[in-house]
Amino acid sequence: MRSELTRRTFLTTAAAFGAAGAASTQFPQDLGAPRSGYGERSPYEKSVRYFRDSPTPGTGASRTPLQDLYGIITPSALHFERHHAGVPQIDPRQHELLIHGLVERPLVFSMKDLQRFPSVSQIYFIECAGNSGGEQAGQPGADPQRSHGLLSCSEWSGVPLKILLAEAGLKEKATWLVAEGADASRLARSFPLSKALEDVLVAYGQNGEALRPEQGYPLRLVVPGWEGNVNIKWLGRIQVVDQPYMTRDEAASYTDLMPDGKARWFTFEMEAKSVITRPAGGQVLDGPGFYEITGLAWSGRGTITRVEVSTDEGKTWAEAQLNSLVLPKAVARFSFPWRWDGGETSLQSRCIDNTGYIQPTRADLIAVRGVRAGPDGFNHYNGIKAWYVHRDGKVSHE
């Protein structure tokens, strides 16, 4: 028999809908915002880069807020920066790349020329040689951004450098390259030809669009797995040579001083490193219970094959899960299930890459290289990082 809508049923139903309507007043009732020509993030998202300036005009750095990121790709707008003479404004219609030196045919490429060549897109990290250096000096960063934020990972698009070198024709004595930027400092670095023929990109794209000015627009080098300073931004010139050139930047700044007074030179590779980004310094746990530990691991030597996590101050270690893509010379996202009992402890991670290299402790590194005083410590520091969980739920670097 068909049911009928009685007065009592109608009033009951209406009251229920009224209550639902009252509850929904927390949502916007007006027409939403119009479309925009270039998308913006929600005004409720406040993640920004942390800036640290140098006394030298135009010199300074900004750090990526690693603790706020998901996955492995850094948004272009949050990629870390390191400048030596400010950010030049370059018209791509006027910009050119010169390749000369020990080549059969010195060539000049416009941006249009470069975009006619076969292109590739690859995901690679870029890390400043000084990233996390303060950790060894006893001045640890208070959160992942301040401790490890001179690291970012993007999809880079451009022309393999080996294609351009083939166009120019290499002479028999060619063994090294000197790349120079078009910024006011004319920052230049030497690197071996063998690396150029392996995987170096002349990039004009980042994360699906043109490079940002701070990332070298309109053209930069991407030298996978090697220290950030070699990844020359605003690339304007490549000279093919028969030996390393002792440029100002590789002789004065980017060497690794050792305890005996000698310096390691051309330590290009960024060795295996990891950091927990949640829970981490500056964050607060709501109380005992389940939490997912997550973080990033990377290696300039190749591919991360394993990450281990300790939740008991390094007494024991357990294997974490590697999530999503695990690519050569790109960051890998790891996660580990953890149930906090409310007690004092520390959280640590260590990684292993496909060469068998194991991320060392701070003590291991100091035993070889000593301690370098000052807030920046020494370059190429990759020691294990500890975050301390306190009974009140606060997580800190000490």
Side-chain angles (χ1 to χ4, degrees):
M1 176 175 143
R2 186 179 66 181
S3 62
E4 296 182 0
L5 181 62
T6 65
R7 182 173 184 274
R8 182 183 297 276
T9 304
F10 175 80
L11 292 175
T12 303
T13 305
F17 274 103
S24 69
T25 57
Q26 62 182 305
F27 299 107
Q29 301 298 306
D30 299 326
L31 189 65
R35 294 167 292 173
S36 60
Y38 194 82
E40 300 291 340
R41 65 180 178 179
S42 166
Y44 298 102
E45 297 297 323
K46 304 296 184 182
S47 184
V48 296
R49 290 177 293 200
Y50 165 75
F51 288 90
R52 180 181 170 192
D53 293 322
S54 166
T56 305
T59 303
S62 66
R63 296 171 183 260
T64 295
L66 299 177
Q67 67 276 5
D68 299 333
L69 303 186
Y70 307 104
I72 65 173
I73 297 295
T74 304
S76 299
L78 293 177
H79 195 289
F80 86 88
E81 302 173 25
R82 178 72 172 98
H83 309 311
H84 296 264
V87 180
Q89 296 299 313
I90 297 176
D91 184 343
R93 297 168 298 183
Q94 305 297 322
H95 189 68
E96 295 176 330
L97 171 63
L98 168 65
I99 296 182
H100 68 125
L102 294 177
V103 296
E104 301 294 341
R105 299 169 295 279
L107 297 173
V108 175
F109 300 97
S110 68
M111 291 302 299
K112 280 190 174 182
D113 293 334
L114 293 172
Q115 290 172 353
R116 291 172 58 189
F117 281 94
S119 64
V120 298
S121 293
Q122 299 284 354
I123 296 175
Y124 294 126
F125 76 81
I126 294 180
E127 181 182 15
C128 178
N131 191 32
S132 70
E135 302 290 312
Q136 67 82 28
Q139 301 185 46
D143 56 36
Q145 181 175 32
R146 287 169 173 78
S147 67
H148 289 72
L150 294 175
L151 163 82
S152 301
C153 186
S154 292
E155 180 189 57
W156 303 100
S157 299
V159 183
L161 179 53
K162 63 184 179 181
I163 292 178
L164 302 181
L165 294 175
E167 285 290 303
L170 295 169
K171 291 188 175 180
E172 186 177 350
K173 292 184 178 180
T175 54
W176 282 71
L177 307 178
V178 181
E180 181 184 77
D183 60 328
S185 74
R186 289 295 190 268
L187 190 145
R189 286 297 308 265
S190 304
F191 63 97
L193 175 62
S194 57
K195 178 64 173 177
L197 299 178
E198 179 185 341
D199 56 8
V200 175
L201 289 182
V202 175
Y204 45 72
Q206 179 186 8
N207 295 336
E209 63 178 0
L211 296 169
R212 299 292 175 97
E214 297 87 352
Q215 297 306 319
Y217 181 85
L219 201 64
R220 73 171 298 163
L221 279 186
V222 174
V223 186
W226 285 19
E227 61 182 1
N229 185 256
V230 184
N231 295 253
I232 299 294
K233 296 188 287 188
W234 312 292
L235 181 66
R237 184 169 71 94
I238 296 175
Q239 183 178 4
V240 182
V241 294
D242 61 355
Q243 60 185 309
Y245 274 39
M246 312 314 177
T247 70
R248 175 196 65 218
D249 302 291
E250 61 202 20
S253 300
Y254 290 93
T255 56
D256 300 328
L257 188 64
M258 302 298 285
D260 62 1
K262 294 182 180 180
R264 299 194 306 173
W265 208 358
F266 297 125
T267 49
F268 292 119
E269 282 183 338
M270 301 303 295
E271 294 181 314
K273 188 187 297 189
S274 67
V275 62
I276 292 171
T277 57
R278 292 191 297 273
Q283 299 167 20
V284 180
L285 303 183
D286 293 331
F290 176 82
Y291 294 89
E292 181 185 62
I293 296 172
T294 186
L296 300 170
W298 60 99
S299 174
R301 292 168 171 257
T303 306
I304 294 296
T305 57
R306 182 183 176 95
V307 176
E308 297 175 335
V309 170
S310 173
T311 61
D312 57 4
E313 302 178 325
K315 298 183 181 71
T316 62
W317 295 83
E319 185 172 5
Q321 176 179 322
L322 294 174
N323 302 333
S324 64
L325 296 174
V326 181
L327 301 171
K329 300 168 188 175
V331 300
R333 171 72 61 177
F334 65 86
S335 62
F336 183 81
W338 174 53
R339 188 167 293 278
W340 181 44
D341 62 8
E344 300 267 336
T345 191
S346 72
L347 307 177
Q348 303 174 55
S349 65
R350 67 186 181 195
C351 61
I352 303 170
D353 65 22
N354 63 314
T355 70
Y357 181 93
I358 303 173
Q359 184 180 1
T361 65
R362 177 174 181 266
D364 292 335
L365 290 169
I366 289 175
V368 175
R369 299 182 60 187
V371 176
R372 185 170 178 180
D376 297 323
F378 54 59
N379 288 335
H380 295 272
Y381 176 84
N382 64 324
I384 293 171
K385 172 70 173 178
W387 298 115
Y388 297 92
V389 182
H390 304 284
R391 294 186 186 276
D392 60 2
K394 292 182 179 178
V395 186
S396 72
H397 62 290
E398 59 186 0

